[in-house]
């Protein structure tokens, strides 16, 4: 079950609870699911009970307990646990990791696209300022991932005014300049320095682009070893479930990517996407050492499964960098 499918599963549970008279609320158009937060458990969590508590006139914990059995009855759901003030934590059955990786690989760089802004026109009024122009240009693409259309205009009243850069970022080059302007939150002053050009771990942009290049290198190296093709019947779900235990952090950030795109579009915050890509990169760089056979080890289905997961990470990194207007080189 993919995150998108799980979101629909939760909505069906809400609808059933309403149909049988256990809840008196309007069924929301969509619900968010993501990795459990602090104190959570399982594969995913949702705050839908907290969202519905007010309209239902019930404590969030009561709403969560009403929804828990309805979600638990869904195929593919192994367990549902309520934690904190009313978070529903969902543990999936076998094949969840395989489904997520398959979804990323099948959708490619359109993974994470949704319809949360479908039919909406987002007007971005910006001042004549370099950073504001770059942020607005990026938001046009991010808003489009959610089915909306952003229109950029200049003049008053301004509704998008990020803190201007202290100096011209152009000498950094196109990619580093965009990163320097997009990575900080809009209310933070961007740092324009040569640090963005350093090829070392302290530079987040380098880590993201290096991680993408490593994904491509893993594919090339796997091809040289005779198992460069991923996806389809070559990657049994069970093997990907084994990989889930080794690459849990990587699977988690990949699953959270659609939610990050929704938030970046809704809050006009491309920095959320930039920071998420750093998380994907860091998780991939820790996982990459498990992908290829070591020593006399022969390539196996487990290696193909790990390669598929790395390929999925590379796909998300490439797609995210493209939305930011930054290149994703094959070699670095």
């Amino acid at each position: 079950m993919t995150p998108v499918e799980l979101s629909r599963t939760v909505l069906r549970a809400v609808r059933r609870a309403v149909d049988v008279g256990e809840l008196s609320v309007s069924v929301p158009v969509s619900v968010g699911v993501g990795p459990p937060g602090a104190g959570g458990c399982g594969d995913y969590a949702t705050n839908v009970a907290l969202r519905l508590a007010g309209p239902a006139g019930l404590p969030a914990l009561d709403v969560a307990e009403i929804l828990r059995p309805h979600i638990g009855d869904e195929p593919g759901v192994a367990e549902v646990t309520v934690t904190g003030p009313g978070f529903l934590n969902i543990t999936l059955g076998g094949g969840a990791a395989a489904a997520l990786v398959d979804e990323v690989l099948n959708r490619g760089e359109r993974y994470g696209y949704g319809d949360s802004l479908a039919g909406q026109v987002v007007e971005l009024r910006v001042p004549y300022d370099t950073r504001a122009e770059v942020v607005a240009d990026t938001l046009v693409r991010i808003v489009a991932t959610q089915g909306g259309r952003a229109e950029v205009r200049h003049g008053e009243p301004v509704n998008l005014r990020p803190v201007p850069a202290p100096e011209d970022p152009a000498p950094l080059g196109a990619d580093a300049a965009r990163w320097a302007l997009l990575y900080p939150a809009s209310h933070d002053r961007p740092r324009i320095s040569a640090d963005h050009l350093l090829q070392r771990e302290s530079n987040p942009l380098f880590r993201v682009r290096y991680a993408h290049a490593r994904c491509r290198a893993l594919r090339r190296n796997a091809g040289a070893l005779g198992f460069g093709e991923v996806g389809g019947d070559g990657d049994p779900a069970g093997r990907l479930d084994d990989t889930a235990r080794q690459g849990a952090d990587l699977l988690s950030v990949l699953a959270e990517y659609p939610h990050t795109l929704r938030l970046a579009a809704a809050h006009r915050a491309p920095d959320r996407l930039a920071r998420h890509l750093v998380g994907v990169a860091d998780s991939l760089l820790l996982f990459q050492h498990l992908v290829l056979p070591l020593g006399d080890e022969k390539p196996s289905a487990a290696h193909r499964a790990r390669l598929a997961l790395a390929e999925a990470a590379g796909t998300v990194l490439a797609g995210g960098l493209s939305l930011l207007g930054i290149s994703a080189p094959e070699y670095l």
Side-chain angles (χ1 to χ4, degrees), residues 50-315:
L50 283 77
R51 286 179 54 189
L52 298 179
L58 295 170
L61 282 172
D62 289 354
V63 176
E65 288 296 341
I66 290 171
L67 295 177
R68 185 171 62 82
H70 291 291
I71 298 173
D73 287 342
E74 286 283 343
V77 174
E79 183 179 10
V80 182
T81 305
V82 179
T83 61
F87 291 103
L88 286 154
N89 298 260
I90 304 167
T91 301
L92 300 180
L100 173 60
V101 171
D102 283 345
E103 182 185 9
V104 178
L105 295 178
N106 289 333
R107 298 197 65 186
E109 293 187 14
R110 291 186 65 82
Y111 169 66
Y113 285 33
D115 57 4
S116 62
L117 296 178
Q120 296 186 35
V121 177
V122 177
E123 189 172 282
L124 302 175
R125 291 188 174 271
V126 301
Y128 288 97
D129 169 75
T130 299
R131 189 184 185 197
E133 298 275 6
V134 170
V135 170
D137 171 72
T138 304
L139 284 173
V140 169
R141 288 186 292 276
I142 292 177
V143 167
T145 70
Q146 302 306 304
R149 178 166 58 88
E151 295 182 348
V152 182
R153 297 180 180 170
H154 296 87
E156 301 294 338
V158 170
N159 62 6
L160 183 69
R161 192 194 295 272
V163 175
E167 57 188 284
D168 183 9
L172 296 176
D175 288 335
R178 291 188 71 92
W179 183 267
L181 298 176
L182 295 171
Y183 182 66
S186 290
H187 58 267
D188 292 331
R189 185 175 296 277
R191 181 174 51 85
I192 309 302
S193 76
D195 289 349
H196 295 294
L197 302 175
L198 296 177
Q199 294 198 20
R200 59 179 61 169
E201 290 185 1
S202 60
N203 177 6
L205 174 59
F206 171 73
R207 295 206 305 277
V208 171
R209 299 175 85 208
Y210 176 67
H212 174 264
R214 284 299 304 147
C215 291
R216 302 307 179 229
L218 289 170
R219 179 176 59 188
R220 292 192 298 270
N221 294 338
L225 293 172
F227 73 106
E229 293 298 322
V230 300
D233 294 337
D235 300 309
R239 292 298 185 180
L240 276 171
D241 289 339
D242 291 342
T243 299
R245 288 190 286 273
Q246 297 167 310
D249 288 344
L250 183 54
L251 283 162
S252 178
V253 291
L254 295 184
E256 194 176 0
Y257 182 69
H259 182 58
T260 298
L261 285 184
R262 286 195 296 273
L263 291 178
H267 297 285
R268 321 295 187 250
D271 58 288
R272 290 175 179 263
L273 172 58
R275 289 197 299 272
H276 188 79
L277 294 181
V278 175
V280 174
D282 289 345
S283 296
L284 182 279
L285 292 174
L286 290 174
F287 177 75
Q288 62 168 326
H289 308 291
L290 301 173
V291 174
L292 300 178
L294 299 175
D296 296 332
E297 192 177 10
K298 299 296 183 183
S300 66
H303 292 110
R304 288 193 295 274
R306 295 168 196 165
L307 179 62
L309 178 52
E311 282 274 275
T315 298

